[in-house]
Amino acid sequence: MNHRNGFNPLSRTTAHRRAMSRNMVTSLFRFERITTTKSKAMEVRKAAEKLITRGKVDTVHNRRQAAKFIQDEKILNKLFTEIGPRMQDRKGGYTRVLKIGFRQGDAADMVILELVDYKLDTEAQEKKAEKKSSKAAKPAAKAETAAEGSKTTEKKAAKAPAKAKKASTTTKKAAGTKAKATKAEKPAADTENKE
């Protein structure tokens, strides 16, 4: 009888299962939260919890044992410098599984596997909301300025005929004074020529 002994092979070959487990654990440590199926999450959390326990004590031996499983040096360093020290006061249970429903298509039970002290990045969400609101405000502001601009052009257009009338009268007056000046200059010139 094989009661409660062993693991879930996940219908994969040994090499495929090991590679998938390594990749998923690395992703979990990189992003501190991943979405997967329930059966995969239950298998991945076993390996992740053992690695976090090793990450709490930063020794050469523990780093080499963890490096067998985690191929990425940056993530390995993160395990021993960030994640391990954060979990010092915990004696286990470093991850949690949150059910999110069923996958469309094959109805697989989907879950979120995350570290217990994971915090949502609410600042980034707030920045996105501010950008959206500012983008929505820009067209409204443009519409307001366009409306104001059309009002000012209407006012200018209304003032333009009055200015044109004033300008035409001033040009007529100027033309009249020039004509008078030229008539006054001619007799003076005639008198000079006669002398």
Side-chain angles (χ1 to χ4, degrees):
M1 292 277 180
N2 191 20
H3 294 304
R4 297 178 62 82
N5 185 19
F7 56 91
N8 184 354
L10 299 172
S11 300
R12 286 166 169 79
T13 61
T14 304
H16 185 180
R17 188 175 55 251
R18 283 181 184 164
M20 184 191 68
S21 181
R22 286 177 177 177
N23 289 336
M24 291 182 75
V25 169
T26 303
S27 294
L28 176 64
F29 292 155
R30 176 178 286 130
F31 303 111
E32 299 186 10
R33 182 181 218 199
I34 58 173
T35 303
T36 183
T37 60
K38 184 179 177 184
S39 54
K40 286 181 193 172
M42 294 303 176
E43 288 303 309
V44 168
R45 89 188 296 188
K46 291 177 187 176
E49 301 238 352
K50 288 177 184 176
L51 287 170
I52 291 172
T53 301
R54 285 204 180 267
K56 288 162 72 171
V57 181
D58 191 3
T59 62
V60 175
H61 177 68
N62 282 344
R63 278 188 179 258
R64 286 179 177 166
Q65 291 297 315
K68 286 182 182 178
F69 208 83
I70 299 172
Q71 308 293 313
D72 191 346
E73 289 181 18
K74 291 180 183 177
I75 304 304
L76 183 67
N77 192 37
K78 181 180 179 181
L79 173 65
F80 284 93
T81 58
E82 292 179 29
I83 298 171
R86 278 186 351 215
M87 304 289 185
Q88 282 294 341
D89 57 339
R90 288 184 174 273
K91 297 191 178 193
Y94 311 114
T95 59
R96 77 166 59 102
V97 176
L98 305 170
K99 294 182 180 181
I100 57 172
F102 299 100
R103 183 164 58 193
Q104 190 174 7
D106 64 350
D109 200 5
M110 298 299 288
V111 297
I112 294 174
L113 177 64
E114 67 181 11
L115 298 180
V116 172
D117 60 351
Y118 176 78
K119 293 177 184 170
L120 285 172
D121 191 11
T122 55
E123 292 177 7
Q125 292 174 352
E126 289 173 4
K127 287 179 183 177
K128 286 181 183 178
E130 287 175 10
K131 284 182 182 179
K132 285 183 181 179
S133 64
S134 65
K135 285 182 182 179
K138 284 183 181 178
K142 286 182 181 178
E144 288 176 10
T145 55
E148 290 174 6
S150 64
K151 288 179 183 176
T152 55
T153 54
E154 289 173 3
K155 289 179 182 177
K156 287 179 182 177
K159 291 179 181 178
K163 285 184 180 179
K165 287 180 183 176
K166 288 181 183 178
S168 63
T169 55
T170 54
T171 53
K172 287 179 184 176
K173 288 180 183 177
T177 55
K178 283 184 184 176
K180 288 179 184 176
T182 53
K183 287 179 183 177
E185 288 174 2
K186 280 184 181 178
D190 290 338
T191 55
E192 287 176 3
N193 289 337
K194 287 179 183 178
E195 293 173 2

